Amino acid sequence: SNTTLPVALNATAPGNYTLNYTVNWTNRDNSTAINSTLFTLEVLANPLLNITEDALAATVTAGSSGIATMPLFGAGNANVSGLTFACATGSVCSTFTIAFSPPSLSTLPAGNTTYVNISITVPAGQATGIYTGVVFVNSSNGTSDLLTLSVTVPSNLSWTQTPSTLSATLIAGTSGNLSEIKFQIINF
């Protein structure tokens, strides 16, 4: 007894394929025989989305914006359609302003990679720390994926000085105060 199982290779285009199975054998009396049979193999469409990174990280100072780039791969044998993006859960999503560029994709062709920029805006005065969130990518044909987005808000050790400049005319042999200078240390 012999069993043959047809296998469609990865990225085989959807469709019907005709397979010809031909078997030759020798009988006990040394006569030979042959049998050919045609089979139809149906390969179904399998759109599959893969975010090729499990996690992205960005460092953004308080009061500014930064960008993380999310790579998307059409891993199936059919196009992924109607892709939408959302920052769904976590402190990144609830504390910062998150925007995607492009805001959506109509099609991600099978076998291709495309990139989506995630713009992260951190409010002024945001506390130093590491914030995380989950980004979801969904499609209209049922495939989806997610990744963890981590944003580090570093310490801001800047300072301001008032007034910004000083000038005076000095006479030899005199002393005194030139001016009062105020410094404000901004440390989040």
Side-chain angles (χ1 to χ4, degrees):
S1 165
N2 186 1
T3 303
T4 302
L5 179 65
V7 175
L9 299 176
N10 286 341
T12 299
N16 291 324
Y17 295 87
T18 302
L19 306 175
N20 179 5
Y21 283 101
T22 301
V23 179
N24 297 304
W25 68 89
T26 302
N27 295 315
R28 287 182 163 211
D29 65 0
N30 284 332
S31 64
T32 59
I34 187 170
N35 182 22
S36 292
T37 304
L38 295 178
F39 292 94
T40 300
L41 174 68
E42 180 181 11
V43 176
L44 301 175
N46 182 25
L48 182 61
L49 169 66
N50 183 19
I51 302 173
T52 57
E53 302 286 338
D54 292 330
L56 292 176
T59 299
V60 183
T61 57
S64 67
S65 295
I67 291 180
T69 302
M70 177 173 57
L72 305 176
F73 178 64
N77 68 347
N79 295 343
V80 180
S81 302
L83 288 95
T84 58
F85 316 111
C87 192
T89 63
S91 58
V92 165
C93 306
S94 61
T95 307
F96 306 145
T97 301
I98 304 296
F100 300 93
S101 179
S104 63
L105 286 172
S106 60
T107 303
L108 174 59
N112 287 321
T113 299
T114 193
Y115 298 90
V116 175
N117 287 328
I118 303 172
S119 174
I120 306 150
T121 302
V122 176
Q126 183 65 44
T128 298
I130 299 173
Y131 300 83
T132 59
V134 176
V135 172
F136 286 110
V137 180
N138 293 303
S139 74
S140 61
N141 48 2
T143 184
S144 63
D145 203 357
L146 59 88
L147 68 76
T148 300
L149 177 60
S150 175
V151 178
T152 300
V153 178
S155 295
N156 182 350
L157 302 176
S158 61
W159 54 276
T160 61
Q161 164 194 325
T162 306
S164 60
T165 61
L166 295 174
S167 64
T169 303
L170 299 176
I171 300 173
T174 62
S175 64
N177 292 331
L178 178 63
S179 180
E180 180 179 309
I181 299 175
K182 294 181 182 178
F183 291 95
Q184 179 181 5
I185 307 293
I186 303 169
N187 187 4
F188 297 115

